[in-house]
Amino acid sequence: MNQAMIEQGIQLLLKGFGEDVTREGIVETPKRAAKMYLELLEGMNYTNKEIAEKFGKSFEVDTSQMVVVKDIETFSMCEHHLALMYDMNISVGYIPNGKVIGLSKIPRIAEMCCKRLQLQEKIGEDIAEVISIATGSEDVIVHIKAKHSCVTARGIKSRGSNTVTTTKKGKFISDYDLTREFVDSLK
């Protein structure tokens, strides 16, 4: 990402709003906003494979128990409106295939996948892919519930609306009982 270009874009946006970009409260806004976007969109610097390498510390283990990490709180930005997806709650489950990932790595993976201009549906796909790469398991499920400011603050202004997506890979696609076990664990 190019901080100087982001700063120029923010300044142009402020001018488009009719703002005086020399005003005391605004003059440093392009620099502050650019730094914020570099942080909020850090995940754009990494491929899913690189995220798996960065946070994929795993341990060999002989188990077939489902591993679930739930209630991961994060946010993302909608690629359509550059609007915030907030109150995001992510739950990830997988069936180990000879190794397990460090539990603290799952929220880190979810957060990094969210730090991109995204669609909620794509976030689930990305998290599932990273977990699969890191664990060697094809059996991954990701459940996401979030509010979208492009729905709650503009247009329809449906403040109570939530968007729910579930990404299923491997056995979770065809094994209804396995999917039910995951869903029951979220209660």
Side-chain angles (χ1 to χ4, degrees):
M1 289 193 284
N2 184 319
Q3 183 171 347
M5 284 184 74
I6 296 169
E7 287 179 26
Q8 291 170 2
I10 299 291
Q11 186 164 39
L12 186 60
L13 185 66
L14 291 168
K15 286 179 181 177
F17 291 154
E19 224 6 286
D20 173 4
V21 294
T22 63
R23 187 167 61 83
E24 183 181 7
I26 296 289
V27 73
E28 294 295 319
T29 296
K31 182 175 285 189
R32 283 191 302 267
K35 283 183 169 182
M36 177 192 72
Y37 283 114
L38 290 173
E39 180 182 339
L40 294 180
L41 300 174
E42 177 188 4
M44 294 177 72
N45 294 315
Y46 304 101
T47 65
N48 286 347
K49 186 174 186 284
E50 290 169 333
I51 293 171
E53 291 167 358
K54 185 176 178 75
F55 299 120
K57 178 67 176 167
S58 60
F59 309 92
E60 289 188 22
V61 66
D62 183 25
T63 184
S64 60
Q65 295 179 58
M66 184 187 321
V67 177
V68 177
V69 176
K70 66 181 195 170
D71 299 327
I72 301 166
E73 295 180 357
T74 189
F75 62 88
S76 191
M77 291 192 65
C78 167
E79 66 184 33
H80 292 155
H81 298 98
L82 302 182
L84 196 61
M85 291 181 249
Y86 61 100
D87 289 347
M88 186 175 281
N89 184 293
I90 300 175
S91 297
V92 178
Y94 73 97
I95 307 297
N97 184 21
K99 61 183 179 177
V100 293
I101 191 170
L103 293 176
S104 70
K105 304 306 183 201
I106 295 174
R108 291 177 191 272
I109 288 167
E111 182 178 88
M112 193 60 75
C113 289
C114 287
K115 286 185 164 188
R116 298 169 169 167
L117 293 177
Q118 279 281 30
L119 298 174
Q120 183 170 322
E121 301 87 341
K122 182 76 169 96
I123 293 169
E125 294 286 338
D126 285 348
I127 293 169
E129 180 180 343
V130 173
I131 295 294
S132 185
I133 293 168
T135 64
S137 175
E138 293 298 320
D139 307 318
V140 182
I141 188 166
V142 180
H143 180 271
I144 304 174
K145 178 180 176 184
K147 292 187 179 293
H148 292 242
S149 59
C150 56
V151 174
T152 62
R154 59 158 300 278
I156 189 70
K157 295 182 179 122
S158 181
R159 286 169 183 64
S161 294
N162 287 294
T163 299
V164 178
T165 55
T166 303
T167 301
K168 298 189 282 186
K169 302 287 185 189
K171 292 178 185 173
F172 287 100
I173 294 171
S174 58
D175 189 333
Y176 178 76
D177 290 335
L178 191 60
T179 299
R180 178 182 290 223
E181 181 183 343
F182 172 77
V183 170
D184 286 348
S185 76
L186 303 184
K187 295 177 184 174

